[in-house]
Amino acid sequence: MTQNAPATSLLDELRWRGLLADFTSHAAEALAAGQVTGYIGFDPTASSLHVGSLVPIMGLVHLQRAGHCPIALVGGGTGLIGDPSGKASERALLDKAQAEENARGIHRQLSLFLDFESRTNPARMANNLDWLSDMGMVDFLRDVGKHFSVNAMLRKESVKRRLDEEESGLSFTEFSYQLLQAYDFRELATRFGCTLQMGGSDQWGNITAGIDLVRRMGGPRCHGIVFPLLESRGGVKFGKTEAGTVWLDPERTSPYRFYQYWLNTEDADMVRYLRLFTLLGKAEVHELAQATSKNPHRREAQRRLAAEVTRIVHGQEGLDRAVQASRVLFGGSVEGLGADEIAEIFADVPSKTIAKSRLEAEGGLPLAPLMAEVGIASSGSAARRLIKEGGVYVGGVRVTDVRATLAAADAVEGRFVVLRVGKKRHCLLDAGAPI
RNA sequence: GGUGGGGUACCGAAGCGGCCAACCGGGGCAGACUGUAAAUCUGCUGGCUCACGCCUACGUAGGUUCGAAUCCUACCCCCACCA
């Protein structure tokens, strides 16, 4: 993933992949003229990135593959304030230690995608805490603020829209945020010769503000490239599921869930996603598109997409386990499985341990409350509703009685019970003594 | 600070003394059809071992009433216009 491809034009590559929304007018010449150092900022609001960050990450990957030098800037300083755009509620402020820890986590994840060891064009991490934390208010206003015309800032589309909106105002913090981001660009230009900033298309204003600031402060001509924002389909934001955000951190989102997320991509998004999130070439993407239209039920494209992305993030081993678990859970009846096989996939599939005595209790263990307890249903009522609707399965067999109970006989090898809700939600219960 | 309009379930939005656990739309979930897809159709969408019933909910706290999301009072918060 990190080896350098023959230097095709970065812009062309981004364009056919659907990663190019816009770029400043001289970006193409600058990229053609030689090695460029470019950066993208990441907010360290959590210790892990999520799949929503994959677009900018891939932006850096393509930058590096085209022979340029990527910088991942962690907004340790700006994160202390938070870019409030589009935020409905006040963001919890991070303390420094937390921000640092998050930065480390993000660095680790970026290492999966970027080559920090390359001799010719290594990737680099930077943290704007390094320059923002010691900067005084007065210095900032004098050295940076003076280069910003409030008139011009007010004319920016993003600002104008907010001012015109009757509902949401524009806080001073939000208004000033672009100064901080612009200053980041200036620092990166000075320290690392960085002359390119990339980001989501919502960052266009902040990026051009940075370009202007660098120039005003006597720096080189800089450039910007923005990616399209992934729109949400039918109200579901990209990267979210009913279970919440899909993270890159295996502790937060298991490789199995991660794999499943991609596997469930709808046909209409397949080709687009293959181009956006994998490094497969035109021929392969075309082939997979053909496969989808000819034999849709095989879901070849989905499998490939899920495999590619999962392998990068969780390694071959993580992918293998996810595939294995998927095969077991979706491959038919779970009843034929041995305890060993089930135990193996426990690591990745949502699971709970319950006391064996409860299964052996007189009258059995009531199913509905148990479902609430282990979290596969949100409440006992919800569980009963699901049973009434015919959406609950124990060991692959539909449960029809609202007052159904579990007994030792329901467990594979007297130990494992496989609960399923709908087609996709599984929960493994382990009633065995720990080894 | 003044005047007026508002705060209803995940979101939007009805209700304006009992028939309200609250119309409707979106979203979500389940079922059917499928391909762990989309579209479509059906059902569900506060909790309680839920048929009956009970409990908690309509910004917060009190009050009036046999009875309140609906009326009164105070407070908090939003919005508009005027200062």
Side-chain angles (χ1 to χ4, degrees):
Chain A
M1 172 122 203
T2 44
Q3 78 277 18
N4 296 334
T8 52
S9 154
L10 175 66
L11 289 177
D12 286 344
E13 179 74 9
L14 294 179
R15 202 190 321 267
W16 92 264
R17 287 193 180 276
L19 273 165
L20 190 61
D22 204 354
F23 55 94
T24 52
S25 52
H26 298 282
E29 295 107 85
L31 287 163
Q35 195 176 68
V36 168
T37 297
Y39 90 99
I40 296 179
F42 295 88
D43 253 3
T45 40
S47 63
S48 171
L49 298 168
H50 49 86
V51 296
S53 309
L54 282 176
V55 165
I57 290 174
M58 293 309 288
L60 287 179
V61 168
H62 289 298
L63 182 71
Q64 186 166 40
R65 282 166 59 89
H68 304 292
C69 299
I71 297 176
L73 175 71
V74 175
T78 41
L80 295 175
I81 296 164
D83 183 356
S85 51
K87 297 291 186 300
S89 54
E90 189 70 26
R91 180 183 281 185
L93 297 180
L94 301 163
D95 59 50
K96 274 193 185 181
Q98 186 64 51
E100 256 171 55
E101 193 189 317
N102 292 350
R104 273 198 299 278
I106 289 169
H107 186 185
R108 202 176 325 118
Q109 290 174 344
L110 288 169
S111 314
L112 299 167
F113 295 87
L114 299 170
D115 182 357
F116 286 83
E117 311 294 322
S118 164
R119 290 220 183 121
T120 52
N121 57 331
R124 193 195 288 278
M125 288 281 291
N127 191 328
N128 65 12
L129 197 60
D130 292 347
W131 52 84
L132 289 181
S133 62
D134 295 333
M135 176 155 242
M137 175 85 172
V138 173
D139 289 335
F140 183 77
L141 289 177
R142 195 191 54 188
D143 297 338
V144 179
K146 78 168 178 189
H147 294 294
F148 282 81
S149 148
V150 172
N151 307 46
M153 287 168 75
L154 287 174
R155 276 196 294 273
K156 286 206 182 283
E157 194 49 48
S158 56
V159 173
K160 233 192 317 194
R161 204 181 320 127
R162 293 294 293 275
L163 291 179
D164 291 344
E165 259 177 36
E166 298 185 345
E167 295 293 306
S168 63
L170 183 67
S171 77
F172 180 72
T173 305
E174 188 166 355
F175 187 57
S176 340
Y177 188 85
Q178 65 171 272
L179 270 72
L180 291 179
Q181 187 167 332
Y183 184 65
D184 285 344
F185 203 164
R186 144 82 187 179
E187 280 294 326
L188 290 170
T190 309
R191 292 174 182 228
F192 306 118
C194 177
T195 55
L196 170 70
Q197 182 179 178
M198 305 191 288
S201 60
D202 57 336
Q203 293 299 310
W204 182 258
N206 288 337
I207 290 174
T208 54
I211 293 172
D212 289 345
L213 179 67
V214 174
R215 196 191 62 237
R216 291 211 176 97
M217 291 179 79
R221 164 176 247 165
C222 291
H223 313 278
I225 295 176
V226 289
F227 315 121
L229 297 178
L230 286 179
E231 81 284 10
S232 50
R233 286 179 76 91
V236 187
K237 283 203 179 73
F238 175 80
K240 304 274 181 186
T241 67
E242 65 277 10
T245 303
V246 181
W247 300 95
L248 302 190
D249 181 355
E251 297 296 316
R252 295 182 188 232
T253 301
S254 73
Y256 165 75
R257 281 241 169 111
F258 187 85
Y259 179 82
Q260 283 290 323
Y261 175 78
W262 296 102
L263 192 66
N264 281 303
T265 301
E266 35 189 279
D267 290 3
D269 288 330
M270 272 316 306
V271 171
R272 204 158 54 94
Y273 282 12
L274 283 169
R275 290 197 298 227
L276 286 173
F277 302 115
T278 75
L279 291 174
L280 298 180
K282 288 181 187 178
E284 274 176 298
V285 171
H286 180 72
E287 244 170 65
L288 288 166
Q290 294 288 324
T292 295
S293 55
K294 270 188 213 146
N295 292 300
H297 60 281
R298 287 200 196 144
R299 309 168 62 77
E300 270 178 48
Q302 273 93 339
R303 282 176 214 288
R304 188 64 188 277
L305 171 69
E308 292 292 327
V309 185
T310 306
R311 187 185 301 116
I312 294 169
V313 176
H314 298 298
Q316 184 65 42
E317 195 192 330
L319 170 61
D320 289 344
R321 287 212 315 273
V323 171
Q324 159 77 353
S326 299
R327 220 176 259 146
V328 168
L329 291 175
F330 291 94
S333 171
V334 187
E335 289 181 309
L337 288 175
D340 291 349
E341 225 170 333
I342 295 183
E344 203 162 291
I345 61 177
F346 253 73
D348 289 304
V349 175
S351 58
K352 293 283 172 181
T353 312
I354 58 172
K356 190 160 194 174
S357 56
R358 295 174 64 191
L359 270 186
E360 292 162 342
E362 187 76 22
L365 179 58
L367 180 58
L370 179 69
M371 287 172 64
E373 182 190 325
V374 302
I376 199 170
S378 56
S379 69
S381 298
R384 283 179 209 100
R385 232 178 273 129
L386 285 165
I387 293 172
K388 280 182 205 162
E389 291 165 346
V392 176
Y393 307 79
V394 172
V397 180
R398 177 175 282 173
V399 176
T400 49
D401 181 4
V402 179
R403 275 172 292 204
T405 58
L406 290 182
D410 293 309
V412 176
E413 307 214 351
R415 179 170 175 187
F416 300 109
V417 179
V418 182
L419 289 181
R420 173 158 72 89
V421 168
K423 284 177 194 163
K424 302 174 195 169
R425 275 146 72 198
H426 295 87
C427 181
L428 296 178
L429 300 180
D430 182 358
I435 303 144

